[in-house]
Amino acid sequence: MGIRDLWEIVAPSRQIVSLDALACQHFVETGQFFKIGVDISQWFSQFQTGLRSKHIRSHAQLGQNPELCNMFLRISRLSQLPIILLAVFDGPNRPVRKRGASVRTIPHWMTARTVDILRAFGHYSITAPGEAEAELSHLNKLGCIDAVLTDDSDALVFGAQKIIRNPKDKKHPDIVAMYDASGFPSQTKTPIMSDGLLLFAILQGGDYSAGLSHCGKATAYALTNTSLGTMLRFASEDYTNSKLRTYLNQQWTPELKQQLQHDTHSFIGGRRPKAASSIPAGFPNVNTIRHYVSPLVSSGPSPQLLDITDVDVSYLGALSDQLFSWGQDGLVMNKFQTSVWPAVCIWKLAQGQTDHIIGLSNVKESLSCGILVCITFDIVWLFSLTTASLPNVPATHDQTTMKLWVSAQLFNNNSPFIDQLLDEYIQKAQTASVMRKIHLLDRAYGVFSRTDNSDDIENLPSRSYAGDIVDLTGDDSTDKDEVKELMFIDLTLDHDMDSTLN
């Protein structure tokens, strides 16, 4: 999907980051949730393909609506971060053919229910005028969303500025690959400009064309160092279709042939006569150029579109019973304990609402997510909301509190709970583990500089652990079995499938 080999060209700009850390850092720096746009059709395809790959003989073995269940679980996991999703659906005026096949024009059967799930979790959805990928890239350029979550390299050519991909590394499910387009021109290897991305797409081929025969990625990339890409973009912007066709035939295509035949500027490293002789009449196709340079997009959403809204627990309870029979099967409370209630707690925390926080119980450091604190939440108030539309389900649960590991950046550094946890550590025997925790609290919240703690801290050993990277869930942590490892989000295909099958 997308342009062949283009991800390899921009690979030098790839940053491997924690989605948790990325979202939390954005929240701390801007005070805003990290807004991610998603081409939701990719998720539809992944879920259905993934289920088929499990070789399940009967769809009934997976429970009711397993594809939608996977959608529910994926959205719930992303909702446990300070993230707002904008799902974009392909619109009525998208190209009618891609990769030589007709494109379906009727909405996917999962569309309406996915919109319901998104809205209940506090996220948003829109239908693009044309292609979702083009609309997402346009919204990213406008600053309406902070990043595009996609595996489709078309987004690069459409002009997306920040793109997040989904690695398939099961051992590090929170780790994602992020690309910042502003770094493409200055890459040490394979630097490329936006016009070069366009030219590479035309030569290599993608959803809209097969590209140029006998023109491999090395040759296509080498030609991005010429003016061919800029000439192509300017002509597309300046000319009508008929004039553009004339220009291509009389000037652009002969220049391309000249470069291939003679390697005029020595960018290619040798002549490519076979590729030059393979240029067909009418190459490149005018419509293909238009799809990339001037795709059909909207004028952008209203400013209120991506405001933070509350998670609708009651509606999710009714929806989960309707779609998955969780209420009838008596599963809803346990399911919500791991999927919905954590999202509610995190969103309220990020909005500065601390009424349901009981206290802090631990601190640790993760290699990917930085310093985390373990927060104890009161969840009794969520029971009645969960069962509000399920009269036959008792509003009870064997757990009345929930402990979640949360990025320290999301917790107010003026909270008295921080001082309480520090006091607990100060009163303990000053083992290496306890000292590490005290120093982590100082790195996160500056507790050493607080006058209320200064006398006690002066008496602590002077050894510094500021440079240590440690996971502090050792034997001295009495609550580790109760704590849910919340901030590790797996966006990969198989993880969602496994969740359904278990």
Side-chain angles (χ1 to χ4, degrees):
M1 185 163 55
I3 296 98
R4 187 171 66 251
D5 300 319
L6 186 51
W7 287 119
E8 185 177 344
I9 297 298
V10 299
S13 292
R14 180 178 59 200
Q15 302 175 55
I16 303 301
V17 298
S18 157
L19 185 60
D20 171 14
L22 185 65
C24 290
Q25 180 181 1
H26 178 87
F27 179 78
V28 170
E29 292 177 352
T30 67
Q32 302 290 322
F33 277 33
F34 193 52
K35 300 177 180 66
I36 299 180
V38 183
D39 179 355
I40 205 71
S41 66
Q42 293 181 23
W43 288 9
F44 291 162
S45 176
Q46 288 175 359
F47 292 145
Q48 292 187 296
T49 302
L51 290 177
R52 287 195 296 269
S53 70
K54 295 294 179 181
H55 306 295
I56 301 298
R57 293 185 178 181
S58 171
H59 198 267
Q61 290 178 259
L62 302 175
Q64 186 175 339
N65 295 315
E67 298 93 344
L68 286 170
C69 186
N70 282 328
M71 182 66 72
F72 186 99
L73 294 175
R74 179 173 288 190
I75 293 172
S76 76
R77 282 195 292 277
L78 287 168
S79 300
Q80 295 169 21
L81 295 174
I83 284 174
I84 292 178
L85 295 176
L86 174 63
V88 179
F89 297 88
D90 288 319
N93 296 313
R94 61 189 180 275
V96 296
R97 295 187 67 82
K98 295 177 73 171
R99 295 191 179 274
S102 298
V103 175
R104 60 182 296 165
T105 56
I106 59 174
H108 194 282
W109 68 269
M110 293 173 63
T111 298
R113 294 298 172 262
T114 296
V115 170
D116 291 340
I117 295 170
L118 285 162
R119 185 173 65 249
F121 272 108
H123 302 297
Y124 296 85
S125 63
I126 60 172
T127 298
E131 279 207 273
E133 214 68 48
E135 180 71 10
L136 286 164
S137 302
H138 174 63
L139 296 178
N140 189 211
K141 286 190 291 185
L142 290 177
C144 300
I145 56 177
D146 300 304
V148 178
L149 180 63
T150 183
D151 287 318
D152 190 339
S153 56
D154 281 345
L156 301 170
V157 185
F158 287 137
Q161 297 302 293
K162 284 188 171 58
I163 305 98
I164 298 174
R165 293 192 71 193
N166 304 325
K168 304 297 188 287
D169 187 349
K170 299 297 177 189
K171 295 181 180 179
H172 304 94
D174 178 56
I175 302 303
V176 295
M178 187 178 74
Y179 301 77
D180 188 336
S182 65
F184 294 168
S186 57
Q187 293 177 160
T188 304
K189 293 178 60 179
T190 60
I192 190 167
M193 304 287 286
S194 59
D195 293 343
L197 294 171
L198 169 63
L199 179 63
F200 192 87
I202 295 296
L203 296 176
Q204 282 292 89
D207 291 342
Y208 312 119
S209 70
L212 180 61
S213 298
H214 307 292
C215 182
K217 65 181 177 183
T219 300
Y221 171 73
L223 289 170
T224 66
N225 294 292
T226 70
S227 60
L228 284 167
T230 301
M231 293 165 61
L232 192 61
R233 183 178 297 276
F234 284 173
S236 176
E237 293 172 348
D238 294 344
Y239 297 145
T240 62
N241 282 359
S242 59
K243 289 185 177 180
L244 177 58
R245 182 70 271 160
T246 300
Y247 169 79
L248 292 171
N249 291 341
Q250 296 180 356
Q251 296 187 48
W252 191 88
T253 302
E255 176 62 20
L256 170 63
K257 191 171 185 177
Q258 172 76 8
Q259 295 284 354
L260 290 169
Q261 285 178 330
H262 303 288
D263 191 15
T264 311
H265 303 292
S266 301
F267 289 130
I268 300 175
R271 298 180 180 185
R272 298 292 184 269
K274 196 169 185 179
S277 62
S278 298
I279 299 176
F283 180 85
N285 183 278
V286 169
N287 290 333
T288 299
I289 302 170
R290 297 287 192 212
H291 284 320
Y292 287 124
V293 175
S294 52
L296 182 63
V297 294
S298 71
S299 58
S302 64
Q304 304 91 317
L305 176 64
L306 300 182
D307 285 348
I308 300 173
T309 61
D310 289 333
V311 179
D312 193 338
V313 181
S314 300
Y315 184 56
L316 284 171
L319 197 61
S320 67
D321 186 48
Q322 174 192 351
L323 298 178
F324 320 127
S325 299
W326 285 356
Q328 300 171 35
D329 296 339
L331 301 174
V332 65
M333 300 298 276
N334 286 335
K335 292 285 190 180
F336 273 39
Q337 183 187 19
T338 57
S339 61
V340 176
W341 298 345
V344 177
C345 292
I346 296 303
W347 277 47
K348 286 190 172 296
L349 175 66
Q351 295 178 73
Q353 301 177 30
T354 59
D355 295 348
H356 304 292
I357 294 178
I358 296 174
L360 303 184
S361 62
N362 209 342
V363 61
K364 70 176 182 179
E365 186 166 27
S366 162
L367 285 170
S368 60
C369 301
I371 300 175
L372 307 174
V373 290
C374 182
I375 304 179
T376 304
F377 294 89
D378 169 29
I379 57 173
V380 173
W381 64 284
L382 290 168
F383 298 169
S384 59
L385 290 177
T386 301
T387 60
S389 301
L390 306 172
N392 297 323
V393 178
T396 59
H397 194 265
D398 56 357
Q399 300 290 330
T400 59
T401 62
M402 172 181 289
K403 293 185 176 182
L404 302 174
W405 283 111
V406 176
S407 172
Q409 295 175 304
L410 291 182
F411 198 72
N412 189 332
N413 62 1
N414 294 318
S415 170
F417 292 127
I418 298 171
D419 292 319
Q420 291 173 15
L421 181 59
L422 176 64
D423 289 341
E424 291 179 19
Y425 288 147
I426 290 175
Q427 300 307 316
K428 290 183 177 182
Q430 298 303 297
T431 64
S433 179
V434 171
M435 283 299 299
R436 288 190 187 101
K437 296 185 181 191
I438 292 174
H439 281 271
L440 285 177
L441 283 177
D442 182 57
R443 286 171 54 195
Y445 302 115
V447 295
F448 284 10
S449 62
R450 299 188 183 192
T451 56
D452 293 344
N453 304 319
S454 57
D455 291 339
D456 291 327
I457 291 176
E458 282 181 1
N459 298 321
L460 293 176
S462 60
R463 179 181 174 187
S464 173
Y465 293 86
D468 292 351
I469 302 296
V470 290
D471 185 332
L472 301 175
T473 51
D475 294 337
D476 61 334
S477 176
T478 58
D479 53 13
K480 66 178 182 179
D481 291 334
E482 302 174 30
V483 178
K484 302 188 182 306
E485 290 289 353
L486 171 66
M487 294 297 200
F488 293 85
I489 309 301
D490 190 350
L491 303 180
T492 58
L493 176 61
D494 290 342
H495 182 87
D496 292 294
M497 301 305 133
D498 293 341
S499 299
T500 303
L501 295 173
N502 290 337

PDB file of all heavy atoms in Angstrom, residues 139 176 181 305 365 493:
ATOM      1  N   LEU A 139      -4.946  17.932   6.990  1.00  0.00           N
ATOM      2  CA  LEU A 139      -5.236  18.388   8.350  1.00  0.00           C
ATOM      3  C   LEU A 139      -3.967  18.502   9.177  1.00  0.00           C
ATOM      4  O   LEU A 139      -3.848  19.377  10.044  1.00  0.00           O
ATOM      5  CB  LEU A 139      -6.219  17.423   9.022  1.00  0.00           C
ATOM      6  CG  LEU A 139      -7.611  17.332   8.398  1.00  0.00           C
ATOM      7  CD1 LEU A 139      -8.456  16.299   9.127  1.00  0.00           C
ATOM      8  CD2 LEU A 139      -8.295  18.697   8.402  1.00  0.00           C
ATOM      9  N   VAL A 176       6.827   2.932  18.798  1.00  0.00           N
ATOM     10  CA  VAL A 176       6.356   3.217  17.445  1.00  0.00           C
ATOM     11  C   VAL A 176       7.451   3.938  16.673  1.00  0.00           C
ATOM     12  O   VAL A 176       8.390   4.485  17.256  1.00  0.00           O
ATOM     13  CB  VAL A 176       5.071   4.074  17.455  1.00  0.00           C
ATOM     14  CG1 VAL A 176       3.922   3.311  18.086  1.00  0.00           C
ATOM     15  CG2 VAL A 176       5.304   5.397  18.178  1.00  0.00           C
ATOM     16  N   ALA A 181       8.717  15.038   8.649  1.00  0.00           N
ATOM     17  CA  ALA A 181       9.049  15.402   7.265  1.00  0.00           C
ATOM     18  C   ALA A 181      10.021  16.566   7.179  1.00  0.00           C
ATOM     19  O   ALA A 181      10.731  16.710   6.171  1.00  0.00           O
ATOM     20  CB  ALA A 181       7.770  15.735   6.494  1.00  0.00           C
ATOM     21  N   LEU A 305     -13.862  20.843  16.962  1.00  0.00           N
ATOM     22  CA  LEU A 305     -14.034  19.444  16.587  1.00  0.00           C
ATOM     23  C   LEU A 305     -13.290  18.503  17.521  1.00  0.00           C
ATOM     24  O   LEU A 305     -13.804  17.454  17.889  1.00  0.00           O
ATOM     25  CB  LEU A 305     -13.566  19.217  15.153  1.00  0.00           C
ATOM     26  CG  LEU A 305     -13.599  17.753  14.676  1.00  0.00           C
ATOM     27  CD1 LEU A 305     -15.030  17.244  14.654  1.00  0.00           C
ATOM     28  CD2 LEU A 305     -12.987  17.606  13.305  1.00  0.00           C
ATOM     29  N   GLU A 365      11.090   3.736  36.951  1.00  0.00           N
ATOM     30  CA  GLU A 365      11.519   4.320  35.681  1.00  0.00           C
ATOM     31  C   GLU A 365      11.515   3.255  34.604  1.00  0.00           C
ATOM     32  O   GLU A 365      12.019   2.145  34.819  1.00  0.00           O
ATOM     33  CB  GLU A 365      12.897   4.952  35.792  1.00  0.00           C
ATOM     34  CG  GLU A 365      13.300   5.700  34.531  1.00  0.00           C
ATOM     35  CD  GLU A 365      14.489   6.608  34.742  1.00  0.00           C
ATOM     36  OE1 GLU A 365      15.296   6.322  35.636  1.00  0.00           O
ATOM     37  OE2 GLU A 365      14.608   7.604  34.006  1.00  0.00           O
ATOM     38  N   LEU A 493      -1.156  -5.792  14.735  1.00  0.00           N
ATOM     39  CA  LEU A 493      -2.312  -6.590  14.323  1.00  0.00           C
ATOM     40  C   LEU A 493      -2.543  -7.795  15.206  1.00  0.00           C
ATOM     41  O   LEU A 493      -3.606  -7.995  15.772  1.00  0.00           O
ATOM     42  CB  LEU A 493      -2.121  -7.036  12.864  1.00  0.00           C
ATOM     43  CG  LEU A 493      -3.181  -7.972  12.281  1.00  0.00           C
ATOM     44  CD1 LEU A 493      -4.537  -7.307  12.289  1.00  0.00           C
ATOM     45  CD2 LEU A 493      -2.801  -8.386  10.881  1.00  0.00           C
TER      46      LEU A 493
END
